[in-house]
Amino acid sequence: MQEKVLTPPDGVHLEDIEVGRVVEFGRISVSKQDIITFARAYDPQPMHLDEEAARASIVGGLCASGFHSCAIMMRMIADGLLKDGWTSLGSPGIDECKWLKPLFPDQVLTGRVICTEKRALASRPEVGLLKVKFEMLNQAGDVIMIWDSNQLLKVRNPGPKVESGGKGERPPPLESVWDGPQGAAPDPTRNFFEDRQIGEIYDLGSHTFTKDEIIAFAKQFDPQPFHLDEEAGRKSLFGGLCASGWHTAAIWIRQFVAYRQKIEREIREAGAPVARYGPSPGFRNLRWLKPVYPGDTLTFRGRTAAKIDLKSRPDRGILQTDSQARNQRGEIVFNIRGQILAERREPFKP
């Protein structure tokens, strides 16, 4: 166990973070009912809801949604780091998440974090950016999830502002899934790996965030003040009460799963074979681009971005999808490149 880092009287600022130091935190147990409750609300796939269906799947047993794992990690971070004095200003996103092993019921989870890079923002010198690697471990010591993440933290002694911004200060603009060349919608009667076409577009519906649901999700998974209290939200970088980024991600996966299950029902009704999908090895380029406030209505859309053959699983391929959400003003507020295993019609032959 790593030695506990002492918290300065004014809280942990950018200056206090030691690059390369491993810090362990958190301890939480996840029950079967916890897994099913989250899945019903956000990720109702059979492997997360039904023990018999899960045993027949690749994972071999009832397991938590990957986004449930992320929400649990966020709760451990909130309890084990942020409440311990980190002057958190939120996170702009996750560069990559890997789900390495399933999270089964009754596992006891812990976390550890290492900072790989830190700097103050040139255009906002009072704000620091950490590049951090978070790992979730089970009671056997196996790493079951890894985040390559970004964290904003206060700077105790800000330097001068640089108007032009620093090198790499602004990431390259995202390609909007609403603009540019648009592919056709997927064929509603065919959903095997070979059937899917790069560029195909699917609209995933809309969701309006309410104050009550924002606070309820935050209380359970991300109890930072700007997700819980209107006055604290007004005093934060966000300027008002706003949804946890993981709340937005949970709504996205719910919309995505609902869309795919609708397609599967249509295929069954047409008497055609239905491809098996899942699990997911993780995601990339998760970005929370703008806050989501009470009353905001997000519209979600996805576009098939890439298809990857697998030598290790010739009966499956990986589909990569770029998904985004935009608010009622047309502003893109959320971006993710999702990945999922999809059944092939014929085994892959290199």
Side-chain angles (χ1 to χ4, degrees), residues 145-303:
M145 181 174 70
I146 297 175
W147 291 353
D148 287 323
S149 184
N150 303 275
Q151 175 67 44
L152 299 177
L153 210 62
K154 290 182 180 179
V155 177
R156 182 179 289 108
N157 299 303
K161 181 178 180 180
V162 178
E163 294 295 340
S164 60
K167 181 179 179 182
E169 183 102 339
R170 296 183 182 276
L174 293 168
E175 181 183 351
S176 169
V177 299
W178 282 271
D179 301 326
Q182 300 292 300
D187 184 336
T189 65
R190 298 165 63 88
N191 71 337
F192 283 84
F193 178 80
E194 294 92 333
D195 302 328
R196 304 297 299 274
Q197 301 297 313
I198 304 299
E200 62 191 7
I201 291 287
Y202 21 96
D203 290 309
L204 304 175
S206 300
H207 178 79
T208 299
F209 286 73
T210 68
K211 174 183 172 181
D212 288 346
E213 71 169 300
I214 286 172
I215 292 174
F217 187 96
K219 283 181 177 178
Q220 187 171 6
F221 296 113
D222 192 357
Q224 298 187 74
F226 36 79
H227 302 319
L228 293 171
D229 180 79
E230 290 182 295
E231 181 63 23
R234 282 192 290 270
K235 293 178 179 178
S236 73
L237 289 178
F238 308 113
L241 179 78
C242 61
S244 164
W246 293 112
H247 189 183
T248 308
I251 296 297
W252 166 73
I253 194 61
R254 185 174 74 188
Q255 301 293 120
F256 196 94
V257 170
Y259 171 82
R260 200 178 75 237
Q261 291 177 341
K262 174 178 177 292
I263 294 295
E264 290 173 355
R265 288 194 298 271
E266 293 173 356
I267 293 172
R268 290 190 184 94
E269 290 170 1
V274 177
R276 292 171 292 179
Y277 276 57
S280 168
F283 57 81
R284 297 175 181 170
N285 202 26
L286 170 58
R287 294 291 180 263
W288 297 302
L289 300 163
K290 289 181 178 291
V292 176
Y293 300 110
D296 279 354
T297 297
L298 301 193
T299 301
F300 296 84
R301 172 177 276 192
R303 179 168 61 200

Side-chain angles (χ1 to χ4, degrees), residues 295-339:
D296 279 354
T297 297
L298 301 193
T299 301
F300 296 84
R301 172 177 276 192
R303 179 168 61 200
T304 302
K307 298 170 66 174
I308 301 172
D309 296 314
L310 293 176
K311 293 181 181 180
S312 60
R313 285 193 177 276
D315 62 330
R316 297 287 195 275
I318 292 179
L319 291 174
Q320 293 188 336
T321 300
D322 287 333
S323 292
Q324 293 174 353
R326 61 182 182 182
N327 61 24
Q328 64 275 16
R329 293 177 294 278
E331 301 166 323
I332 298 174
V333 303
F334 172 83
N335 179 87
I336 190 170
R337 173 162 283 200
Q339 302 183 96

Side-chain angles (χ1 to χ4, degrees), residues 66-88:
F67 287 93
H68 190 189
S69 299
C70 289
I72 291 167
M73 174 71 97
M74 186 64 241
R75 181 70 204 216
M76 288 200 297
I77 292 168
D79 291 343
L81 296 176
L82 304 186
K83 283 187 179 179
D84 201 32
W86 280 37
T87 56
S88 171

